[in-house]
Amino acid sequence: MPLPSAAPRVHTGVCNLCEAICGLRFEVTGEGPAARITAVRGNPDDPLSRGHICPKAVALKDLHEDPDRLRQPVRRVVGPDGTPRFEPISWDQAFDLVVEGLVRVREQHGANAVAVYQGNPNVHNWGNITHGHLFFSQLRTRARFSATSADQLPHHVVAHWLYGHQLAIPIPDIDRTQYMLVLGANPLASNGSLMTVPDVRARFKALRDRGGKLVVLDPRRTETAAIADEHHAIDPGTDAAWLLAVLHTLFDEDLIRPGHLQGLLDQVDAVREAVHPFSPEATAAHTGIDAATTRRLARELAAADGAVAYGRMGVSTQAHGVVCQWAIQAINLLTGNVDREGGALLTSPALNLIDMKLMGPGHLGAWRSRVRGAPEFSGELPVSVLAEEIRTPGRGQVRALVTAAGNPVLSTPNGGQLDAALAGLDFMAAIDFYVNETTRHAHVILPPTCFVEHDHYDLVFLHLAVRNVARYSAAVVEPAPGALHDWQIYAELARRYAQRAWALERGGLRQRLTGLATRGIVGRLSPRRLLAIGLRRAGGQVKLAQLEAQPDGIDLGPLKPSLVSRLQRRQRRIRLLPEAIRRELPALATELTAPTAGTLQGPDGLPALKLIGRRDVRSNNSWMHNSARLVSGKPRCTLWVHPDDAARRGLEDGQTVTVGSRTGRVQVPVHITPDIRAGVVSLPHGWGHDRPGVALQVARAHAGASINDLTDDRLTDRISANAAFSAVPVWIEAA
């Protein structure tokens, strides 16, 4: 008779797939590397997520068990038939191949010929943060890129200007606000973004239950807009003009009430003068929001006892993304809603990267890209210029690339151009556990363990959470024998690269030896050990032993006003009108009467449409489509079209069409719906898995089309060069 199986063990952990970092409870059977996850549930005792869970968290089990996930290093070889394929190699071989390939390019072409791209998951996985710099800093290249400039760069630029640090981003106090204005964001699908807010539906319900109001401006009736008190379908790409009209109204109707911020604000009169051309009446035709509505919303926000304006992807990834984020901060500051309960507050994480000076404040334009002259920010160039830096000959041409947890072919503008450029590199290495649309070009792929196989402490997103908490999560299951965590991969790459590259160094021997010694010490310490040291140096508010004893997490309480005191300690004031904004506003004012993308014509003679993206709660950028449970059901990669636009083009629901832009063409089914503004179409981000060599069986069977085969690398924010994905002109033809 078989012995009864042991009861499942329950492990407490988190889902760090997205910014919500929801607390989870895993049921696990078996021991050692053979252990299996049998169930994933929300943790009702987690002080931040309070039991909330979304479909992505359940798919952590799928990710762990995915047969397509790489579990040992591979190198690309050409088979007898001329077709590239990947073959397994040892870690020793992999490390040596990567180091030799990068050193060879550096010796022949210089340090800047080696580029780095770090994808979004790097900041979700603490081993990347604690140890990635050990390796990347040794490359000594200015060709540094990341997903930041395809996503959130305007937030960091504005925080750097106004508050003195790129991570000093005031977070909406959603649990106590009385009025929340949301632009270009869909927290019900994203669980927040640069606002870590799990269980957001319940939080919005609580807002309304206490008599508050939620207002959404978005070209699409998103899941968030559907539950809002008001939704206004703004014309995409015009948010800056509308926000400036709100500022105009605050001055025009004497609604400026900075309150406790009064003594810290400089240049208030300069802002008044700068926004004077943007009256609600002057901007109404441009934005599609009538003047009476704009003025009413400005009055409501100014009168509320605790209000906050919040804008995310839709306002960041457009030609005026920095102006949008600046205007949002200016609205919150001038109504006295920064650093107050119910408004926008800085967080107080147990390990504060700002206060401990573990992250620099940032800088803009210290140097510029070789080809286009785009500005760097905090040592990184905008990813919109990566392809041209590879393709354009000359001194400093990028000839080698290291990608870390990223898929820029699907995630950055004009992905088709980048795809072709990657094929011409002399050498490419990837730290990733999939052969995806980008890593298929790599000569070597080094796969780290997956999320449930290592411990975790969130170093970044607790700075953006709507409540102060601290949580340390032990590994849920053991990795397979011989597997390496990401931090171990970086530490070993750093060690071997330092040894191999020694001969390239000239001068500065003492400084070089000191740097190597420091990297050697840190490289031998695990992230857990570094966390223990960091918490002690932070003043002991929380100790690692406490975190380990309380795996549900430690509640450090609601957000508290702290920005004013932090600024006063540094004897810093808020200069409200940065010079780059002052220079940009007159040019923006001329656009109020200039032709828009809608006046352009497609091959059919009809006006071009404006393309926007969208997010689905079952999707996570470009890499969660290999889970059968997440892609099951109705197709999600469809083109949303308004009924009027469909009728003008003779389109039927479900019909496959060709969508074209300056950069490419894709074919996709149409979904005709009134939940999108006329003149606008929407395609989700992260699809397009049908490229040759992609080793993702489920994703290839649900390939979809990549929106970034249509977006334009030439369309960027005019100040920061952040990618402008919103309002891209496109046309539609029957396939």
Side-chain angles (χ1 to χ4, degrees):
M1 178 180 295
L3 294 174
S5 59
R9 303 182 308 281
V10 177
H11 288 256
T12 300
V14 297
C15 172
N16 55 325
L17 293 175
C18 80
E19 296 182 33
I21 48 173
C22 295
L24 302 176
R25 287 181 177 167
F26 298 86
E27 291 186 6
V28 180
T29 59
E31 300 292 339
R36 291 181 59 83
I37 298 170
T38 57
V40 183
R41 297 185 174 86
N43 181 3
D45 297 323
D46 186 282
L48 181 62
S49 59
R50 310 180 303 194
H52 175 75
I53 189 172
C54 87
K56 290 191 290 289
V58 180
L60 280 169
K61 168 181 165 62
D62 304 340
L63 181 62
H64 173 56
E65 298 173 355
D66 191 346
D68 291 334
R69 182 166 68 88
L70 297 176
R71 288 166 170 80
Q72 68 181 101
V74 295
R75 68 177 174 185
R76 181 160 55 90
V77 297
V78 178
D81 61 352
T83 302
R85 60 181 176 82
F86 286 93
E87 66 176 20
I89 56 175
S90 69
W91 281 106
D92 257 353
Q93 288 176 287
F95 287 130
D96 285 344
L97 284 171
V98 171
V99 168
E100 290 298 324
L102 296 177
V103 168
R104 183 173 62 252
V105 170
R106 178 173 166 176
E107 286 178 328
Q108 294 175 357
H109 304 288
N112 292 334
V114 178
V116 173
Y117 175 83
Q118 294 177 272
N120 177 268
N122 279 275
V123 291
H124 294 258
N125 200 21
W126 72 324
N128 294 315
I129 300 171
T130 59
H131 287 71
H133 71 98
L134 301 179
F135 172 55
F136 293 133
S137 64
Q138 290 195 64
L139 300 178
R140 304 180 74 176
T141 178
R142 286 187 168 184
R144 296 281 297 270
F145 304 87
S146 81
T148 296
S149 56
D151 185 337
Q152 64 200 50
L153 182 54
H155 291 263
H156 299 300
V157 171
V158 171
H160 163 66
W161 282 342
L162 296 183
Y163 308 123
H165 199 283
Q166 59 181 313
L167 198 55
I169 301 172
I171 305 305
D173 190 14
I174 189 173
D175 289 334
R176 291 178 293 191
T177 192
Q178 288 298 114
Y179 193 96
M180 189 162 180
L181 175 64
V182 175
L183 297 97
N186 187 12
L188 258 66
S190 66
N191 292 310
S193 185
L194 294 187
M195 174 180 66
T196 295
V197 56
D199 199 21
V200 67
R201 184 181 293 274
R203 287 179 151 103
F204 279 145
K205 182 178 184 302
L207 164 63
R208 299 184 68 179
D209 288 347
R210 61 179 176 264
K213 186 172 183 178
L214 173 64
V215 178
V216 173
L217 270 71
D218 199 291
R220 185 170 68 91
R221 188 173 183 266
T222 64
E223 292 86 346
T224 303
I227 67 165
D229 296 280
E230 290 186 34
H231 167 227
H232 301 281
I234 192 169
D235 197 16
T238 68
D239 304 82
W242 188 82
L243 287 161
L244 294 170
V246 171
L247 280 169
H248 176 105
T249 303
L250 295 177
F251 285 108
D252 189 49
E253 301 191 9
D254 195 23
L255 300 173
I256 302 298
R257 302 285 189 274
H260 66 295
L261 301 170
Q262 180 75 49
L264 285 176
L265 297 182
D266 291 337
Q267 302 176 301
V268 174
D269 288 339
V271 174
R272 179 196 303 270
E273 181 179 351
V275 302
H276 179 71
F278 299 93
S279 70
E281 291 74 20
T283 59
H286 184 64
T287 65
I289 309 296
D290 65 86
T293 297
T294 300
R295 289 187 177 276
R296 174 177 59 80
L297 294 178
R299 294 183 200 118
E300 290 177 357
L301 186 146
D305 184 15
V308 63
Y310 163 74
R312 206 26 216 113
M313 284 291 289
V315 293
S316 291
T317 57
Q318 58 173 277
H320 303 295
V322 169
V323 174
C324 285
Q325 293 301 338
W326 169 80
I328 287 170
Q329 293 301 319
I331 290 167
N332 289 336
L333 286 164
L334 291 170
T335 56
N337 282 304
V338 172
D339 208 37
R340 66 159 292 181
E341 292 183 5
L345 295 156
L346 291 185
T347 60
S348 300
L351 189 64
N352 193 311
L353 300 179
I354 302 174
D355 292 350
M356 296 182 70
K357 296 181 169 55
L358 295 174
M359 177 183 285
H363 44 75
L364 177 66
W367 66 84
R368 292 181 175 267
S369 66
R370 177 179 64 102
V371 180
R372 191 184 307 183
E376 63 76 44
F377 179 79
S378 198
E380 291 184 359
L381 291 170
V383 74
S384 55
V385 309
L386 175 55
E388 67 192 39
E389 292 294 325
I390 297 172
R391 298 175 63 186
T392 306
R395 181 178 176 84
Q397 178 184 6
V398 169
R399 295 173 178 268
L401 175 67
V402 181
T403 64
N407 190 359
V409 167
L410 294 191
S411 300
T412 63
N414 198 352
Q417 175 181 253
L418 180 60
D419 194 10
L422 295 181
L425 288 168
D426 294 348
F427 183 76
M428 178 177 168
I431 301 165
D432 205 298
F433 46 56
Y434 280 129
V435 179
N436 62 31
E437 292 73 21
T438 297
T439 63
R440 69 194 179 105
H441 294 290
H443 294 85
V444 184
I445 305 177
L446 299 87
T449 55
C450 81
F451 299 93
V452 295
E453 296 172 340
H454 60 76
D455 57 355
H456 182 71
Y457 180 88
D458 200 279
L459 291 170
V460 172
F461 293 112
L462 292 179
H463 288 74
L464 305 169
V466 298
R467 189 172 183 88
N468 291 311
V469 300
R471 296 177 299 191
Y472 171 79
S473 306
V476 177
V477 295
E478 290 184 31
L484 295 181
H485 301 309
D486 43 22
W487 70 269
Q488 294 171 315
I489 294 172
Y490 286 122
E492 184 61 15
L493 282 172
R495 187 185 71 82
R496 296 195 187 204
Y497 191 91
Q499 292 176 340
R500 177 63 181 81
W502 182 270
L504 296 178
E505 301 301 325
R506 298 290 185 270
L509 181 59
R510 179 176 298 177
Q511 181 180 358
R512 178 68 175 156
L513 286 170
T514 302
L516 285 174
T518 302
R519 282 192 284 269
I521 293 169
V522 174
R524 291 192 296 271
L525 298 178
S526 68
R528 178 186 174 280
R529 181 63 180 144
L530 292 173
L531 173 64
I533 295 170
L535 289 172
R536 284 202 302 270
R537 292 181 178 175
Q541 178 187 15
V542 174
K543 295 182 174 62
L544 179 58
Q546 293 174 277
L547 292 172
E548 291 179 318
Q550 301 180 62
D552 293 324
I554 298 175
D555 186 7
L556 302 177
L559 306 186
K560 297 178 181 178
S562 64
L563 175 64
V564 170
S565 61
R566 293 184 193 186
L567 291 174
Q568 288 173 336
R569 281 200 304 271
R570 301 175 194 150
Q571 297 182 323
R572 180 184 172 87
R573 298 171 62 79
I574 298 173
R575 292 183 58 81
L576 203 53
L577 187 63
E579 180 60 20
I581 298 293
R582 187 194 65 77
R583 292 195 305 265
E584 181 66 18
L585 294 192
L588 200 158
T590 65
E591 294 182 9
L592 297 180
T593 56
T596 66
T599 63
L600 302 175
Q601 288 189 342
D604 55 6
L606 292 172
L609 301 162
K610 291 184 176 183
L611 176 67
I612 63 172
R614 69 177 185 272
R615 179 183 289 271
D616 187 280
V617 72
R618 288 174 170 261
S619 189
N620 194 26
N621 297 328
S622 65
W623 66 278
M624 289 298 288
H625 299 147
N626 214 46
S627 165
R629 80 177 76 208
L630 292 183
V631 297
S632 63
K634 63 181 180 181
R636 291 177 177 82
C637 188
T638 58
L639 184 75
W640 283 27
V641 181
H642 189 274
D644 292 349
D645 295 318
R648 293 185 71 185
R649 290 161 177 79
L651 305 179
E652 297 181 0
D653 196 65
Q655 176 183 354
T656 297
V657 298
T658 297
V659 188
S661 72
R662 184 193 75 83
T663 62
R665 308 283 188 276
V666 301
Q667 290 193 343
V668 65
V670 164
H671 173 57
I672 300 173
T673 173
D675 289 339
I676 191 164
R677 179 183 168 92
V680 180
V681 292
S682 172
L683 196 62
H685 166 70
W687 300 83
H689 305 295
D690 53 353
R691 287 171 167 83
V694 174
L696 300 166
Q697 298 178 61
V698 175
R700 286 184 63 85
H702 302 79
S706 175
I707 188 174
N708 287 321
D709 285 346
L710 299 171
T711 56
D712 196 333
D713 58 302
R714 298 181 188 173
L715 297 178
T716 63
D717 173 68
R718 297 215 295 234
I719 294 175
S720 69
N722 192 75
F725 293 127
S726 189
V728 175
V730 297
W731 54 86
I732 303 175
E733 299 175 289

